[in-house]
Amino acid sequence: MSDEQLDLLVVGCGAGGLATALQFLQSAPSGRVVILERAPKNGRGGNTAWTGAFFRLEEDGSPAADFTTRMIELSRGKTDEAIITRLAELAQPTMHWLNQNGVATKSDLTYFLTSKGPRLMPAGGGASIVETLSARIEELGGTIEYGVTAKELIQGDAERVVGVEAVDSSGQPRRFLARTVVLASGGFEGSGELLDRYLGDRGHELAPIAPGGRSNKGEGIEMGIRAGADTDGQFERFHGEPVDARTRCAEALVMVYPYGILVDHHGKRFVDEGADTPDNTFESVAYRIWRDADQFAYVIADQKLMRHNIARAVLTDREPETAETIDALARRLDLDPDALADTVAKYNAATTAGPLDVTALDGVATEGLEPPKSNWARPLDEPPYVAWPVTCAITFTFGGLKTDEQAQVINREGVPIPGLYAVGEVAGVYHHKYPGATSVLRALVFGRIAGKSAAHRIETSTDPAFL
């Protein structure tokens, strides 16, 4: 087994890993870089390849007005403000860089009916990032090794990381030595074992929202911890979304739960469906479906909802279940008809008649009902009735390796581990609640930072093994 000596080794072929490698090659054109990707070429890119990749940015690439304050507030002050500040500062330059490298961006509406304005996103979604940046890296002389899984970091003196031990798809060991190693291998949503360890014994019930998430098995986090890294981010929380339980379609979102009722398999309500706009509640509602409804619930509504254009809020390939009566709908859903009828009757008695406006919080709340419904509390009384079976799909995990604003991995004594960087989901940043439309952006921003650092390390290295 021969050692392969490189200037940069990147583990993972998503947005963060690709941004790292491409920026490195642009900063050090003669540099030697390899990306390890556990999936075959047609499955590369992890979650990035499947996401729409919205950015919380204005059309010109500048951060949205609430960008910094929202990240601080939603983490309850737990996310390092230096990282947030760096992300905001470099957001616009990163969008310009993305455009210059062939990834066009456009403004588009999100899948929330209450959205007041569009978000920036890559034309073609995250798949365009993967395809375009991969091609640019190969044009500049970089190599992507498919079917190769990193297993262990190689360390020298003083915790210094000098490479990675890996195994290819045939089981053959590989060994890569590098001045700089960047972990960009995602979180642990693809590992039932780690989900159970960190979320509890029902963690394995959470299926990744898209096939790319199955490749994220947490090895990067585990390798970093074994190498002395500290951790950050909230390991027992994750970003989840309510999806249609009937389909295998990726990201089959059902974001219309605020406009009807959400019941469990006993036909009972268990959450305030209208606590806030759906962009502020969908993660917590999905979490409650998993935690409190045994991972299966039903969105039930009537024709007051169906008269609206809801196509961008319901991304499933399946039509809703439909019936002329609540009793018939219950039987179609295999729910107790009496229980569902009782739930709907109690809900209707606590509501106020009137039109349904799906575009804004309306303040129409239930009276004397537990749990309450704080907005859009209109009666369900206009058949045919409709229902979507929904479950919680895990998009990504929050816990990961502790990093600083330079993407350096920090050890348990609070200092950087020489030669080791982490970008994207493998770096723990989020606590309590995900500030939407920031995940792909932070992977790109900190990937570029890591790539520039790796290029600089060529100039400053005195290791004879790499001369």
Side-chain angles (χ1 to χ4, degrees), residues 443-457:
L444 292 169
V445 165
F446 289 101
R448 292 187 68 213
I449 290 172
K452 288 180 179 180
S453 295
H456 179 68
R457 285 172 59 81

Side-chain angles (χ1 to χ4, degrees), residues 80-382:
D80 185 347
E81 289 193 30
I83 290 176
I84 297 172
T85 299
R86 194 77 170 137
L87 179 58
E89 289 174 348
L90 294 181
Q92 190 174 48
T94 296
M95 289 301 103
H96 292 165
W97 175 83
L98 204 59
N99 297 157
Q100 291 163 3
N101 282 287
V103 180
T105 49
K106 64 175 184 175
S107 290
D108 204 351
L109 293 172
T110 69
Y111 30 72
F112 305 115
L113 299 179
T114 52
S115 294
K116 297 303 181 185
R119 294 283 185 214
L120 198 64
M121 66 179 299
S128 68
I129 294 175
V130 174
E131 296 305 314
T132 304
L133 298 194
S134 294
R136 288 284 292 129
I137 288 164
E138 290 174 335
E139 287 170 8
L140 294 177
T143 301
I144 304 174
E145 294 261 10
Y146 296 105
V148 180
T149 300
K151 291 295 185 181
E152 200 69 44
L153 294 170
I154 304 169
Q155 289 180 278
D157 295 338
E159 284 191 340
R160 177 186 172 212
V161 171
V162 297
V164 166
E165 293 179 357
V167 61
D168 67 20
S169 56
S170 65
Q172 292 300 308
R174 301 281 298 276
R175 182 179 166 95
F176 301 84
L177 296 182
R179 283 192 178 93
T180 304
V181 173
V182 178
L183 299 174
S185 50
F188 53 89
E189 62 271 15
S191 169
E193 177 188 350
L194 293 184
L195 289 173
D196 280 352
R197 181 191 304 175
Y198 292 118
L199 303 181
D201 58 10
R202 293 183 52 231
H204 66 276
E205 297 175 6
L206 292 160
I209 197 167
R214 297 174 195 148
S215 294
N216 295 349
K217 298 185 181 296
E219 288 105 335
I221 298 171
E222 298 282 279
M223 285 189 293
I225 291 172
R226 287 194 297 271
D230 200 358
T231 59
D232 197 1
Q234 193 169 356
F235 276 79
E236 69 272 21
R237 289 301 295 250
F238 59 89
H239 179 49
E241 299 182 273
V243 300
D244 192 326
R246 302 167 297 174
T247 181
R248 293 184 178 274
C249 176
E251 208 167 12
L253 303 177
V254 180
M255 294 295 187
V256 291
Y257 61 85
Y259 311 115
I261 60 173
L262 192 62
V263 302
D264 62 18
H265 58 282
H266 300 296
K268 304 294 185 182
R269 291 178 61 247
F270 58 95
V271 68
D272 182 348
E273 304 91 343
D276 202 344
T277 55
D279 54 316
N280 288 331
T281 62
F282 75 96
E283 181 178 270
S284 60
V285 165
Y287 184 81
R288 293 285 301 276
I289 291 170
W290 169 68
R291 191 191 71 183
D292 299 337
D294 295 325
Q295 188 55 326
F296 204 87
Y298 302 87
V299 178
I300 295 175
D302 67 0
Q303 293 304 302
K304 283 190 286 295
L305 171 62
M306 301 305 287
R307 281 195 290 271
H308 294 276
N309 180 9
I310 62 171
R312 67 185 172 96
V314 181
L315 304 187
T316 176
D317 59 349
R318 299 286 298 274
E319 293 296 319
E321 305 295 330
T322 304
E324 288 295 329
T325 66
I326 293 296
D327 181 89
L329 186 66
R331 297 179 190 281
R332 190 175 186 88
L333 302 177
D334 199 25
L335 292 174
D336 182 327
D338 292 336
L340 184 60
D342 181 65
T343 294
V344 172
K346 288 178 178 176
Y347 169 75
N348 284 350
T351 61
T352 302
L356 179 66
D357 178 5
V358 299
T359 65
L361 294 171
D362 61 8
V364 179
T366 55
E367 294 185 10
L369 187 67
E370 286 296 330
K373 186 176 180 186
S374 301
N375 290 278
W376 301 294
R378 300 301 190 186
L380 300 178
D381 57 5
E382 295 186 23

Side-chain angles (χ1 to χ4, degrees), residues 25-101:
L25 288 168
Q26 292 172 334
S27 300
S30 61
R32 296 161 291 178
V33 57
V34 167
I35 300 174
L36 304 184
E37 169 60 57
R38 78 180 315 148
K41 185 175 181 178
N42 62 3
R44 68 184 176 184
N47 277 333
T48 305
W50 295 87
T51 180
F54 282 103
F55 304 127
R56 201 173 195 83
L57 307 175
E58 304 295 344
E59 190 170 5
D60 65 356
S62 60
D66 65 348
F67 188 96
T68 299
T69 56
R70 185 172 176 79
M71 288 197 73
I72 294 170
E73 289 171 0
L74 291 185
S75 75
R76 301 177 194 172
K78 291 283 190 180
T79 300
D80 185 347
E81 289 193 30
I83 290 176
I84 297 172
T85 299
R86 194 77 170 137
L87 179 58
E89 289 174 348
L90 294 181
Q92 190 174 48
T94 296
M95 289 301 103
H96 292 165
W97 175 83
L98 204 59
N99 297 157
Q100 291 163 3
N101 282 287

